[in-house]
Every structure is written in structure tokens, then in C-alpha cells.
Amino acid sequence: GAVVSQHPSWVICKSGTSVKIECRSLDFQATTMFWYRQFPKQSLMLMATSNEGSKATYEQGVEKDKFLINHASLTLSTLTVTSAHPEDSSFYICSASREGNSPLHFGNGTRLTVT
Amino acid sequence: AQKVTQAQTEISVVEKEDVTLDCVYETRDTTYYLFWYKQPPSGELVFLIRRNSFDEQNEISGRYSWNFQKSTSSFNFTITASQVVDSAVYFCALTRLNSGGYQKVTFGTGTKLQVIP
């Protein structure tokens, strides 16, 4: 069964609003989670590394004020897309591993559409 | 810098044919992991295999097999007797271990496999 749960699966929002996406590790604690973005028919691009109890590490070119990441517990990381614009429409997917070098498991992803 | 190249953008095969998906990687790390993931139309990423840089043994799992060759920096994936359910986008990925122990993954651009009944 799934070991990483992501919610919601899809969301439609209006421009200017904020959207929060949750990523939960179901039966293990994850000190680190990763957030990816995937445009249609393209690969996954790492956006940021979410660290429990500390600030996220963002990849070059990713606006940290635009994509707020909070990793308040060992089983939950959230990604908030603030003041969403149509160009933020994409597939967002999170991942986590049970321990440092174990395989990464991915959530089912969230398809965001900004109108 | 890490890089993963999947030169095949799309492949179509007839059911029961064998198909090989190519993956070539670049890394300066001596310790790294290679992955294959399957992404069906529903979007989720399904973990298929992980191989570390010290283990060049080929692996077989049912109809799936993987050929890791460090000398050519390749990690190819073969599906034997393909089935319609194999239709998906397949991603090859490369990770390195950071000092904190977690992984930073670089994905290839994916190969879309269509198995025609």
C-alpha cells in the first residue's frame, strides 16, 4: 500500500488565492521530504527539500516566498502556493524515504489548476 | 553536476514484444544510487528498482530486468513479453547521498512506452 499520502489529488483555484498541499508519511517518520513539480509531458524538477524543524532548502530559481514549505512534524510537510497564477498550474508531487538511504517513495501527486 | 539522459522519448511495441528502455547517467560521485520509476496515466510514481553504484549485478524481477554497466554509465531496463498494462512513462533517476543522509534525486526526461494490443 501507499507509504506516502498526498492531499488533495487535484485542486482548482482562482488567481491570487493560496493553495496548501499536504504530504504525509504514513507509517514512518521522515525528517526529510522532497517537493517536485512536473509540467505536462516533462520530467520532475526538484523544487525544494523540506527539513523537519528547520527551513526548507530551495533549488535555484524557485521562489521561496511563492512556494512556502512547512515541515512541522516528522510525518507531515506542506507546500503552500501563495498568490497563485495560471503559470503555477502544474503537477506537484512529494517524496520521502524511511531512512537516509532507503528508496524514495512518492505521493500520488496534486494537480493544480489556476484559473 | 548530475545528469540523466533517456534518449528515447516514446516507444511503441506490440504486446508480447520485448522492449529495452535506455538510461545513461553522469555523476562525479563515487557513491550513488540509480532508480527506475513507472508513472502510469494516473500520475503516481511507482518505485521499480534501486541499485547502488557498487553493485553491478544484473537483476531480474518477473518480466523486468535491469542491466547496470558502470563502464558505460548505463542502467537499462528491459521488459520481456510486454503487456498493455506496461504502458506508462518510465523515469530513470540518479541520487547522491548528502552529508545529512538524505537523497537529492535527478530524473531523466522519461520514456513513454505504449504497448499496443
Side-chain angles (χ1 to χ4, degrees), chain A residues 32 34 36 38 42-44 46 49 51 57 59 91 93 97 100-108 111, chain B residues 33 35 37 39 41-45 47 50 91 95 97 100-110 112:
Chain A
T32 303
F34 301 90
Y36 291 83
Q38 185 181 29
Q42 293 190 26
S43 188
L44 286 81
L46 180 65
T49 302
N51 305 298
T57 304
E59 294 301 300
F91 189 64
I93 190 165
S97 62
N101 61 352
S102 61
L104 276 171
H105 293 280
F106 286 81
N108 285 351
R111 194 163 302 280
Chain B
Y33 291 88
F35 293 80
Y37 285 91
Q39 187 178 41
S42 51
E44 75 273 20
L45 278 175
F47 167 77
R50 183 188 73 165
F91 289 99
T95 78
L97 286 177
Y102 53 82
Q103 303 165 339
K104 185 172 180 176
V105 183
T106 300
F107 282 86
T109 50
K112 182 177 181 180

mmCIF file of all heavy atoms in Angstrom, chain A residues 32 34 36 38 42-44 46 49 51 57 59 91 93 97 100-108 111, chain B residues 33 35 37 39 41-45 47 50 91 95 97 100-110 112:
data_model
loop_
_atom_site.group_PDB
_atom_site.id
_atom_site.type_symbol
_atom_site.label_atom_id
_atom_site.label_comp_id
_atom_site.label_asym_id
_atom_site.label_seq_id
_atom_site.Cartn_x
_atom_site.Cartn_y
_atom_site.Cartn_z
ATOM 1 N N THR A 32 13.150 14.249 6.326
ATOM 2 C CA THR A 32 13.315 14.988 5.079
ATOM 3 C C THR A 32 12.282 14.543 4.063
ATOM 4 O O THR A 32 12.065 13.346 3.881
ATOM 5 C CB THR A 32 14.715 14.754 4.486
ATOM 6 O OG1 THR A 32 15.703 15.130 5.448
ATOM 7 C CG2 THR A 32 14.920 15.580 3.223
ATOM 8 N N PHE A 34 10.777 15.728 -0.016
ATOM 9 C CA PHE A 34 11.137 16.476 -1.215
ATOM 10 C C PHE A 34 9.882 16.872 -1.981
ATOM 11 O O PHE A 34 8.935 16.098 -2.062
ATOM 12 C CB PHE A 34 12.030 15.624 -2.129
ATOM 13 C CG PHE A 34 13.301 15.160 -1.478
ATOM 14 C CD1 PHE A 34 13.336 13.956 -0.801
ATOM 15 C CD2 PHE A 34 14.452 15.923 -1.531
ATOM 16 C CE1 PHE A 34 14.498 13.516 -0.194
ATOM 17 C CE2 PHE A 34 15.621 15.490 -0.926
ATOM 18 C CZ PHE A 34 15.638 14.286 -0.251
ATOM 19 N N TYR A 36 8.497 18.112 -5.700
ATOM 20 C CA TYR A 36 8.809 18.183 -7.117
ATOM 21 C C TYR A 36 7.654 18.823 -7.872
ATOM 22 O O TYR A 36 6.507 18.799 -7.428
ATOM 23 C CB TYR A 36 9.042 16.779 -7.699
ATOM 24 C CG TYR A 36 10.297 16.105 -7.228
ATOM 25 C CD1 TYR A 36 10.333 15.425 -6.019
ATOM 26 C CD2 TYR A 36 11.458 16.152 -7.992
ATOM 27 C CE1 TYR A 36 11.502 14.805 -5.586
ATOM 28 C CE2 TYR A 36 12.620 15.541 -7.570
ATOM 29 C CZ TYR A 36 12.630 14.869 -6.372
ATOM 30 O OH TYR A 36 13.779 14.263 -5.943
ATOM 31 N N GLN A 38 6.073 18.934 -11.904
ATOM 32 C CA GLN A 38 6.135 18.294 -13.211
ATOM 33 C C GLN A 38 5.173 18.989 -14.160
ATOM 34 O O GLN A 38 3.958 19.003 -13.936
ATOM 35 C CB GLN A 38 5.792 16.803 -13.109
ATOM 36 C CG GLN A 38 5.948 16.042 -14.420
ATOM 37 C CD GLN A 38 5.584 14.584 -14.291
ATOM 38 O OE1 GLN A 38 4.746 14.210 -13.472
ATOM 39 N NE2 GLN A 38 6.204 13.737 -15.102
ATOM 40 N N GLN A 42 6.663 16.400 -19.210
ATOM 41 C CA GLN A 42 8.045 16.717 -18.874
ATOM 42 C C GLN A 42 8.481 15.933 -17.642
ATOM 43 O O GLN A 42 7.697 15.209 -17.037
ATOM 44 C CB GLN A 42 8.204 18.224 -18.634
ATOM 45 C CG GLN A 42 7.994 19.058 -19.875
ATOM 46 C CD GLN A 42 8.383 20.503 -19.659
ATOM 47 O OE1 GLN A 42 9.222 20.815 -18.810
ATOM 48 N NE2 GLN A 42 7.786 21.392 -20.434
ATOM 49 N N SER A 43 9.734 16.083 -17.305
ATOM 50 C CA SER A 43 10.274 15.354 -16.174
ATOM 51 C C SER A 43 9.945 16.049 -14.866
ATOM 52 O O SER A 43 9.343 17.119 -14.841
ATOM 53 C CB SER A 43 11.784 15.218 -16.338
ATOM 54 O OG SER A 43 12.308 14.356 -15.350
ATOM 55 N N LEU A 44 10.357 15.427 -13.794
ATOM 56 C CA LEU A 44 10.138 16.005 -12.476
ATOM 57 C C LEU A 44 11.326 16.896 -12.131
ATOM 58 O O LEU A 44 12.480 16.486 -12.271
ATOM 59 C CB LEU A 44 10.020 14.914 -11.412
ATOM 60 C CG LEU A 44 8.722 14.118 -11.404
ATOM 61 C CD1 LEU A 44 8.747 13.045 -12.451
ATOM 62 C CD2 LEU A 44 8.476 13.524 -10.036
ATOM 63 N N LEU A 46 13.073 19.029 -9.084
ATOM 64 C CA LEU A 46 13.094 19.241 -7.652
ATOM 65 C C LEU A 46 12.910 20.718 -7.350
ATOM 66 O O LEU A 46 13.623 21.566 -7.891
ATOM 67 C CB LEU A 46 14.418 18.746 -7.071
ATOM 68 C CG LEU A 46 14.598 18.907 -5.564
ATOM 69 C CD1 LEU A 46 13.598 18.049 -4.804
ATOM 70 C CD2 LEU A 46 16.028 18.533 -5.157
ATOM 71 N N THR A 49 13.848 20.904 -0.729
ATOM 72 C CA THR A 49 13.993 19.842 0.250
ATOM 73 C C THR A 49 13.427 20.348 1.565
ATOM 74 O O THR A 49 13.845 21.410 2.060
ATOM 75 C CB THR A 49 15.472 19.466 0.423
ATOM 76 O OG1 THR A 49 15.997 19.066 -0.850
ATOM 77 C CG2 THR A 49 15.628 18.332 1.422
ATOM 78 N N ASN A 51 12.880 20.081 5.461
ATOM 79 C CA ASN A 51 13.560 19.537 6.625
ATOM 80 C C ASN A 51 12.721 19.766 7.880
ATOM 81 O O ASN A 51 12.340 20.898 8.181
ATOM 82 C CB ASN A 51 14.920 20.213 6.809
ATOM 83 C CG ASN A 51 15.781 20.119 5.569
ATOM 84 O OD1 ASN A 51 16.142 19.031 5.131
ATOM 85 N ND2 ASN A 51 16.099 21.254 4.981
ATOM 86 N N THR A 57 15.179 23.905 2.015
ATOM 87 C CA THR A 57 16.254 24.269 1.093
ATOM 88 C C THR A 57 15.677 24.299 -0.315
ATOM 89 O O THR A 57 15.214 23.278 -0.819
ATOM 90 C CB THR A 57 17.397 23.250 1.158
ATOM 91 O OG1 THR A 57 17.859 23.143 2.502
ATOM 92 C CG2 THR A 57 18.546 23.684 0.255
ATOM 93 N N GLU A 59 15.698 24.942 -4.457
ATOM 94 C CA GLU A 59 16.560 24.844 -5.630
ATOM 95 C C GLU A 59 16.650 26.208 -6.316
ATOM 96 O O GLU A 59 15.780 27.085 -6.158
ATOM 97 C CB GLU A 59 16.023 23.809 -6.605
ATOM 98 C CG GLU A 59 16.062 22.397 -6.055
ATOM 99 C CD GLU A 59 17.458 21.947 -5.686
ATOM 100 O OE1 GLU A 59 18.338 21.911 -6.578
ATOM 101 O OE2 GLU A 59 17.680 21.639 -4.492
ATOM 102 N N PHE A 91 1.689 19.782 -11.938
ATOM 103 C CA PHE A 91 1.541 18.585 -11.110
ATOM 104 C C PHE A 91 2.633 18.648 -10.049
ATOM 105 O O PHE A 91 3.814 18.707 -10.372
ATOM 106 C CB PHE A 91 1.682 17.352 -11.993
ATOM 107 C CG PHE A 91 1.354 16.047 -11.325
ATOM 108 C CD1 PHE A 91 0.081 15.784 -10.870
ATOM 109 C CD2 PHE A 91 2.329 15.066 -11.162
ATOM 110 C CE1 PHE A 91 -0.235 14.578 -10.263
ATOM 111 C CE2 PHE A 91 2.035 13.860 -10.552
ATOM 112 C CZ PHE A 91 0.742 13.609 -10.106
ATOM 113 N N ILE A 93 4.375 16.930 -6.704
ATOM 114 C CA ILE A 93 4.487 15.604 -6.096
ATOM 115 C C ILE A 93 5.566 15.623 -5.023
ATOM 116 O O ILE A 93 6.608 16.260 -5.187
ATOM 117 C CB ILE A 93 4.767 14.542 -7.184
ATOM 118 C CG1 ILE A 93 4.643 13.133 -6.654
ATOM 119 C CG2 ILE A 93 6.104 14.769 -7.872
ATOM 120 C CD1 ILE A 93 4.547 12.081 -7.751
ATOM 121 N N SER A 97 11.668 9.169 2.259
ATOM 122 C CA SER A 97 12.231 7.833 2.435
ATOM 123 C C SER A 97 12.216 7.491 3.907
ATOM 124 O O SER A 97 12.246 8.356 4.772
ATOM 125 C CB SER A 97 13.651 7.744 1.877
ATOM 126 O OG SER A 97 14.517 8.624 2.567
ATOM 127 N N GLY A 100 17.753 7.280 5.798
ATOM 128 C CA GLY A 100 18.654 8.044 4.943
ATOM 129 C C GLY A 100 18.884 7.513 3.558
ATOM 130 O O GLY A 100 18.835 8.260 2.594
ATOM 131 N N ASN A 101 19.121 6.231 3.428
ATOM 132 C CA ASN A 101 19.468 5.742 2.094
ATOM 133 C C ASN A 101 18.500 4.676 1.593
ATOM 134 O O ASN A 101 18.846 3.852 0.769
ATOM 135 C CB ASN A 101 20.899 5.198 2.094
ATOM 136 C CG ASN A 101 21.050 4.036 3.049
ATOM 137 O OD1 ASN A 101 20.137 3.736 3.812
ATOM 138 N ND2 ASN A 101 22.184 3.382 2.998
ATOM 139 N N SER A 102 17.308 4.710 2.079
ATOM 140 C CA SER A 102 16.322 3.761 1.573
ATOM 141 C C SER A 102 15.579 4.378 0.386
ATOM 142 O O SER A 102 15.638 5.591 0.188
ATOM 143 C CB SER A 102 15.334 3.372 2.675
ATOM 144 O OG SER A 102 14.646 4.505 3.126
ATOM 145 N N PRO A 103 14.928 3.547 -0.409
ATOM 146 C CA PRO A 103 14.291 4.067 -1.620
ATOM 147 C C PRO A 103 13.288 5.172 -1.330
ATOM 148 O O PRO A 103 12.602 5.160 -0.322
ATOM 149 C CB PRO A 103 13.592 2.846 -2.201
ATOM 150 C CG PRO A 103 14.391 1.701 -1.708
ATOM 151 C CD PRO A 103 14.822 2.089 -0.327
ATOM 152 N N LEU A 104 13.226 6.095 -2.221
ATOM 153 C CA LEU A 104 12.254 7.164 -2.121
ATOM 154 C C LEU A 104 10.886 6.676 -2.554
ATOM 155 O O LEU A 104 10.757 5.997 -3.568
ATOM 156 C CB LEU A 104 12.659 8.337 -3.004
ATOM 157 C CG LEU A 104 13.651 9.333 -2.438
ATOM 158 C CD1 LEU A 104 14.085 10.289 -3.513
ATOM 159 C CD2 LEU A 104 13.046 10.073 -1.271
ATOM 160 N N HIS A 105 9.890 7.032 -1.773
ATOM 161 C CA HIS A 105 8.514 6.753 -2.146
ATOM 162 C C HIS A 105 7.818 8.067 -2.425
ATOM 163 O O HIS A 105 8.082 9.074 -1.763
ATOM 164 C CB HIS A 105 7.803 6.000 -1.021
ATOM 165 C CG HIS A 105 8.343 4.628 -0.800
ATOM 166 N ND1 HIS A 105 7.989 3.549 -1.589
ATOM 167 C CD2 HIS A 105 9.225 4.163 0.106
ATOM 168 C CE1 HIS A 105 8.636 2.474 -1.164
ATOM 169 N NE2 HIS A 105 9.395 2.814 -0.144
ATOM 170 N N PHE A 106 6.961 8.035 -3.408
ATOM 171 C CA PHE A 106 6.294 9.251 -3.838
ATOM 172 C C PHE A 106 4.815 9.217 -3.507
ATOM 173 O O PHE A 106 4.178 8.166 -3.498
ATOM 174 C CB PHE A 106 6.456 9.424 -5.350
ATOM 175 C CG PHE A 106 7.848 9.846 -5.755
ATOM 176 C CD1 PHE A 106 8.866 8.918 -5.857
ATOM 177 C CD2 PHE A 106 8.128 11.177 -6.006
ATOM 178 C CE1 PHE A 106 10.152 9.308 -6.215
ATOM 179 C CE2 PHE A 106 9.411 11.573 -6.371
ATOM 180 C CZ PHE A 106 10.415 10.633 -6.462
ATOM 181 N N GLY A 107 4.290 10.409 -3.238
ATOM 182 C CA GLY A 107 2.854 10.546 -3.103
ATOM 183 C C GLY A 107 2.206 10.450 -4.465
ATOM 184 O O GLY A 107 2.885 10.372 -5.494
ATOM 185 N N ASN A 108 0.886 10.471 -4.484
ATOM 186 C CA ASN A 108 0.165 10.349 -5.744
ATOM 187 C C ASN A 108 0.120 11.646 -6.539
ATOM 188 O O ASN A 108 -0.390 11.671 -7.650
ATOM 189 C CB ASN A 108 -1.262 9.861 -5.490
ATOM 190 C CG ASN A 108 -1.279 8.390 -5.151
ATOM 191 O OD1 ASN A 108 -0.269 7.700 -5.265
ATOM 192 N ND2 ASN A 108 -2.416 7.897 -4.723
ATOM 193 N N ARG A 111 -2.646 17.736 -8.752
ATOM 194 C CA ARG A 111 -2.746 18.508 -9.986
ATOM 195 C C ARG A 111 -3.415 19.839 -9.680
ATOM 196 O O ARG A 111 -4.569 19.887 -9.278
ATOM 197 C CB ARG A 111 -3.566 17.746 -11.030
ATOM 198 C CG ARG A 111 -3.436 18.313 -12.433
ATOM 199 C CD ARG A 111 -3.908 17.331 -13.497
ATOM 200 N NE ARG A 111 -3.197 16.068 -13.469
ATOM 201 C CZ ARG A 111 -1.999 15.859 -13.988
ATOM 202 N NH1 ARG A 111 -1.360 16.861 -14.569
ATOM 203 N NH2 ARG A 111 -1.440 14.675 -13.936
ATOM 204 N N TYR B 33 23.086 6.175 -6.236
ATOM 205 C CA TYR B 33 22.034 5.190 -6.471
ATOM 206 C C TYR B 33 21.315 5.515 -7.770
ATOM 207 O O TYR B 33 21.145 6.675 -8.138
ATOM 208 C CB TYR B 33 21.029 5.199 -5.320
ATOM 209 C CG TYR B 33 21.565 4.671 -4.021
ATOM 210 C CD1 TYR B 33 22.206 5.513 -3.127
ATOM 211 C CD2 TYR B 33 21.431 3.328 -3.691
ATOM 212 C CE1 TYR B 33 22.705 5.032 -1.931
ATOM 213 C CE2 TYR B 33 21.930 2.847 -2.495
ATOM 214 C CZ TYR B 33 22.563 3.702 -1.625
ATOM 215 O OH TYR B 33 23.062 3.222 -0.448
ATOM 216 N N PHE B 35 17.724 4.642 -9.952
ATOM 217 C CA PHE B 35 16.345 4.181 -9.794
ATOM 218 C C PHE B 35 15.655 4.069 -11.151
ATOM 219 O O PHE B 35 16.024 4.758 -12.105
ATOM 220 C CB PHE B 35 15.521 5.208 -8.996
ATOM 221 C CG PHE B 35 15.891 5.387 -7.561
ATOM 222 C CD1 PHE B 35 16.965 6.164 -7.217
ATOM 223 C CD2 PHE B 35 15.126 4.821 -6.563
ATOM 224 C CE1 PHE B 35 17.297 6.362 -5.885
ATOM 225 C CE2 PHE B 35 15.442 5.019 -5.224
ATOM 226 C CZ PHE B 35 16.527 5.788 -4.887
ATOM 227 N N TYR B 37 11.481 4.403 -12.100
ATOM 228 C CA TYR B 37 10.122 4.613 -11.640
ATOM 229 C C TYR B 37 9.181 4.521 -12.830
ATOM 230 O O TYR B 37 9.521 4.894 -13.949
ATOM 231 C CB TYR B 37 9.952 5.994 -10.994
ATOM 232 C CG TYR B 37 10.543 6.114 -9.610
ATOM 233 C CD1 TYR B 37 11.859 6.548 -9.438
ATOM 234 C CD2 TYR B 37 9.788 5.817 -8.484
ATOM 235 C CE1 TYR B 37 12.398 6.671 -8.169
ATOM 236 C CE2 TYR B 37 10.325 5.939 -7.208
ATOM 237 C CZ TYR B 37 11.638 6.362 -7.061
ATOM 238 O OH TYR B 37 12.173 6.484 -5.807
ATOM 239 N N GLN B 39 5.427 5.773 -14.191
ATOM 240 C CA GLN B 39 4.355 6.733 -13.971
ATOM 241 C C GLN B 39 3.211 6.424 -14.938
ATOM 242 O O GLN B 39 3.239 6.805 -16.107
ATOM 243 C CB GLN B 39 4.840 8.179 -14.155
ATOM 244 C CG GLN B 39 3.786 9.211 -13.763
ATOM 245 C CD GLN B 39 4.288 10.637 -13.896
ATOM 246 O OE1 GLN B 39 4.970 10.976 -14.863
ATOM 247 N NE2 GLN B 39 3.961 11.476 -12.923
ATOM 248 N N PRO B 41 -0.767 6.692 -16.417
ATOM 249 C CA PRO B 41 -1.551 7.904 -16.722
ATOM 250 C C PRO B 41 -2.170 8.565 -15.495
ATOM 251 O O PRO B 41 -2.409 9.774 -15.508
ATOM 252 C CB PRO B 41 -2.629 7.379 -17.679
ATOM 253 C CG PRO B 41 -1.976 6.213 -18.348
ATOM 254 C CD PRO B 41 -1.128 5.576 -17.289
ATOM 255 N N SER B 42 -2.416 7.808 -14.468
ATOM 256 C CA SER B 42 -2.997 8.386 -13.255
ATOM 257 C C SER B 42 -2.040 9.331 -12.539
ATOM 258 O O SER B 42 -2.465 10.144 -11.712
ATOM 259 C CB SER B 42 -3.443 7.278 -12.308
ATOM 260 O OG SER B 42 -2.375 6.359 -12.105
ATOM 261 N N GLY B 43 -0.767 9.249 -12.828
ATOM 262 C CA GLY B 43 0.170 10.244 -12.322
ATOM 263 C C GLY B 43 1.101 9.811 -11.204
ATOM 264 O O GLY B 43 2.154 10.423 -11.022
ATOM 265 N N GLU B 44 0.718 8.818 -10.436
ATOM 266 C CA GLU B 44 1.597 8.473 -9.317
ATOM 267 C C GLU B 44 2.890 7.842 -9.807
ATOM 268 O O GLU B 44 2.955 7.273 -10.884
ATOM 269 C CB GLU B 44 0.879 7.529 -8.343
ATOM 270 C CG GLU B 44 0.748 6.092 -8.808
ATOM 271 C CD GLU B 44 -0.478 5.838 -9.643
ATOM 272 O OE1 GLU B 44 -1.039 6.815 -10.192
ATOM 273 O OE2 GLU B 44 -0.864 4.676 -9.766
ATOM 274 N N LEU B 45 3.903 7.965 -9.016
ATOM 275 C CA LEU B 45 5.194 7.359 -9.349
ATOM 276 C C LEU B 45 5.332 6.040 -8.597
ATOM 277 O O LEU B 45 5.237 5.991 -7.380
ATOM 278 C CB LEU B 45 6.346 8.284 -8.963
ATOM 279 C CG LEU B 45 6.685 9.388 -9.945
ATOM 280 C CD1 LEU B 45 7.753 10.291 -9.374
ATOM 281 C CD2 LEU B 45 7.172 8.814 -11.261
ATOM 282 N N PHE B 47 7.706 2.963 -7.594
ATOM 283 C CA PHE B 47 9.096 2.557 -7.476
ATOM 284 C C PHE B 47 9.273 1.164 -8.082
ATOM 285 O O PHE B 47 8.522 0.240 -7.771
ATOM 286 C CB PHE B 47 9.492 2.554 -5.997
ATOM 287 C CG PHE B 47 10.789 1.868 -5.696
ATOM 288 C CD1 PHE B 47 11.985 2.491 -5.973
ATOM 289 C CD2 PHE B 47 10.811 0.602 -5.125
ATOM 290 C CE1 PHE B 47 13.190 1.874 -5.684
ATOM 291 C CE2 PHE B 47 12.000 -0.030 -4.830
ATOM 292 C CZ PHE B 47 13.192 0.608 -5.113
ATOM 293 N N ARG B 50 15.989 0.037 -7.195
ATOM 294 C CA ARG B 50 17.104 0.895 -6.811
ATOM 295 C C ARG B 50 18.379 0.058 -6.869
ATOM 296 O O ARG B 50 18.394 -1.094 -6.449
ATOM 297 C CB ARG B 50 16.930 1.431 -5.397
ATOM 298 C CG ARG B 50 18.045 2.385 -4.990
ATOM 299 C CD ARG B 50 17.965 2.754 -3.531
ATOM 300 N NE ARG B 50 18.363 1.646 -2.665
ATOM 301 C CZ ARG B 50 18.663 1.774 -1.388
ATOM 302 N NH1 ARG B 50 18.620 2.965 -0.830
ATOM 303 N NH2 ARG B 50 18.998 0.743 -0.661
ATOM 304 N N PHE B 91 10.718 6.594 -15.780
ATOM 305 C CA PHE B 91 11.783 7.536 -15.453
ATOM 306 C C PHE B 91 12.959 6.807 -14.840
ATOM 307 O O PHE B 91 12.802 5.983 -13.940
ATOM 308 C CB PHE B 91 11.296 8.588 -14.451
ATOM 309 C CG PHE B 91 10.331 9.572 -15.029
ATOM 310 C CD1 PHE B 91 8.962 9.420 -14.840
ATOM 311 C CD2 PHE B 91 10.786 10.666 -15.751
ATOM 312 C CE1 PHE B 91 8.067 10.335 -15.369
ATOM 313 C CE2 PHE B 91 9.900 11.587 -16.283
ATOM 314 C CZ PHE B 91 8.538 11.411 -16.093
ATOM 315 N N THR B 95 20.585 9.433 -7.664
ATOM 316 C CA THR B 95 20.660 10.148 -6.404
ATOM 317 C C THR B 95 22.076 10.112 -5.857
ATOM 318 O O THR B 95 22.852 9.213 -6.153
ATOM 319 C CB THR B 95 19.741 9.534 -5.333
ATOM 320 O OG1 THR B 95 20.363 8.355 -4.801
ATOM 321 C CG2 THR B 95 18.399 9.150 -5.891
ATOM 322 N N LEU B 97 24.018 10.741 -1.950
ATOM 323 C CA LEU B 97 23.755 10.901 -0.534
ATOM 324 C C LEU B 97 24.407 12.171 -0.038
ATOM 325 O O LEU B 97 25.595 12.381 -0.221
ATOM 326 C CB LEU B 97 24.296 9.715 0.254
ATOM 327 C CG LEU B 97 23.519 8.405 0.149
ATOM 328 C CD1 LEU B 97 24.226 7.320 0.925
ATOM 329 C CD2 LEU B 97 22.102 8.597 0.644
ATOM 330 N N GLY B 100 23.795 14.788 5.261
ATOM 331 C CA GLY B 100 22.727 14.531 6.217
ATOM 332 C C GLY B 100 22.065 13.188 6.019
ATOM 333 O O GLY B 100 21.204 12.797 6.791
ATOM 334 N N GLY B 101 22.478 12.473 4.977
ATOM 335 C CA GLY B 101 21.945 11.146 4.733
ATOM 336 C C GLY B 101 20.766 11.105 3.795
ATOM 337 O O GLY B 101 20.378 10.064 3.341
ATOM 338 N N TYR B 102 20.170 12.243 3.486
ATOM 339 C CA TYR B 102 19.011 12.183 2.594
ATOM 340 C C TYR B 102 19.458 12.299 1.150
ATOM 341 O O TYR B 102 20.608 12.575 0.856
ATOM 342 C CB TYR B 102 17.996 13.256 2.945
ATOM 343 C CG TYR B 102 18.544 14.663 3.014
ATOM 344 C CD1 TYR B 102 18.711 15.427 1.863
ATOM 345 C CD2 TYR B 102 18.875 15.249 4.234
ATOM 346 C CE1 TYR B 102 19.200 16.712 1.916
ATOM 347 C CE2 TYR B 102 19.370 16.537 4.292
ATOM 348 C CZ TYR B 102 19.518 17.269 3.127
ATOM 349 O OH TYR B 102 20.008 18.534 3.194
ATOM 350 N N GLN B 103 18.535 12.082 0.297
ATOM 351 C CA GLN B 103 18.839 11.968 -1.120
ATOM 352 C C GLN B 103 18.306 13.151 -1.911
ATOM 353 O O GLN B 103 17.273 13.697 -1.596
ATOM 354 C CB GLN B 103 18.209 10.697 -1.672
ATOM 355 C CG GLN B 103 18.652 9.448 -0.943
ATOM 356 C CD GLN B 103 17.765 8.274 -1.237
ATOM 357 O OE1 GLN B 103 16.640 8.432 -1.644
ATOM 358 N NE2 GLN B 103 18.284 7.086 -1.051
ATOM 359 N N LYS B 104 19.037 13.509 -2.924
ATOM 360 C CA LYS B 104 18.585 14.528 -3.867
ATOM 361 C C LYS B 104 18.544 13.851 -5.218
ATOM 362 O O LYS B 104 19.553 13.366 -5.711
ATOM 363 C CB LYS B 104 19.557 15.705 -3.868
ATOM 364 C CG LYS B 104 19.111 16.870 -4.719
ATOM 365 C CD LYS B 104 20.045 18.046 -4.492
ATOM 366 C CE LYS B 104 19.616 19.224 -5.337
ATOM 367 N NZ LYS B 104 20.462 20.411 -5.065
ATOM 368 N N VAL B 105 17.386 13.788 -5.803
ATOM 369 C CA VAL B 105 17.174 12.963 -6.986
ATOM 370 C C VAL B 105 17.154 13.790 -8.265
ATOM 371 O O VAL B 105 16.507 14.823 -8.330
ATOM 372 C CB VAL B 105 15.841 12.195 -6.866
ATOM 373 C CG1 VAL B 105 15.651 11.282 -8.075
ATOM 374 C CG2 VAL B 105 15.802 11.394 -5.590
ATOM 375 N N THR B 106 17.883 13.296 -9.236
ATOM 376 C CA THR B 106 17.838 13.889 -10.573
ATOM 377 C C THR B 106 17.144 12.905 -11.490
ATOM 378 O O THR B 106 17.556 11.746 -11.596
ATOM 379 C CB THR B 106 19.259 14.174 -11.087
ATOM 380 O OG1 THR B 106 19.908 15.083 -10.207
ATOM 381 C CG2 THR B 106 19.207 14.787 -12.483
ATOM 382 N N PHE B 107 16.102 13.367 -12.152
ATOM 383 C CA PHE B 107 15.331 12.499 -13.026
ATOM 384 C C PHE B 107 15.726 12.716 -14.481
ATOM 385 O O PHE B 107 16.091 13.818 -14.895
ATOM 386 C CB PHE B 107 13.839 12.793 -12.891
ATOM 387 C CG PHE B 107 13.226 12.208 -11.661
ATOM 388 C CD1 PHE B 107 13.265 12.902 -10.467
ATOM 389 C CD2 PHE B 107 12.610 10.974 -11.697
ATOM 390 C CE1 PHE B 107 12.707 12.366 -9.323
ATOM 391 C CE2 PHE B 107 12.046 10.430 -10.556
ATOM 392 C CZ PHE B 107 12.094 11.125 -9.373
ATOM 393 N N GLY B 108 15.623 11.640 -15.250
ATOM 394 C CA GLY B 108 15.712 11.768 -16.687
ATOM 395 C C GLY B 108 14.406 12.347 -17.213
ATOM 396 O O GLY B 108 13.471 12.596 -16.449
ATOM 397 N N THR B 109 14.352 12.564 -18.508
ATOM 398 C CA THR B 109 13.169 13.177 -19.102
ATOM 399 C C THR B 109 12.046 12.187 -19.343
ATOM 400 O O THR B 109 10.954 12.569 -19.733
ATOM 401 C CB THR B 109 13.527 13.853 -20.423
ATOM 402 O OG1 THR B 109 14.266 12.934 -21.227
ATOM 403 C CG2 THR B 109 14.386 15.099 -20.179
ATOM 404 N N GLY B 110 12.312 10.919 -19.099
ATOM 405 C CA GLY B 110 11.263 9.919 -19.213
ATOM 406 C C GLY B 110 11.128 9.332 -20.605
ATOM 407 O O GLY B 110 11.420 9.991 -21.614
ATOM 408 N N LYS B 112 8.161 7.395 -22.776
ATOM 409 C CA LYS B 112 6.763 6.970 -22.813
ATOM 410 C C LYS B 112 6.674 5.672 -23.600
ATOM 411 O O LYS B 112 7.024 5.612 -24.778
ATOM 412 C CB LYS B 112 5.888 8.040 -23.466
ATOM 413 C CG LYS B 112 4.420 7.682 -23.481
ATOM 414 C CD LYS B 112 3.580 8.799 -24.077
ATOM 415 C CE LYS B 112 2.093 8.440 -24.063
ATOM 416 N NZ LYS B 112 1.262 9.521 -24.631
#
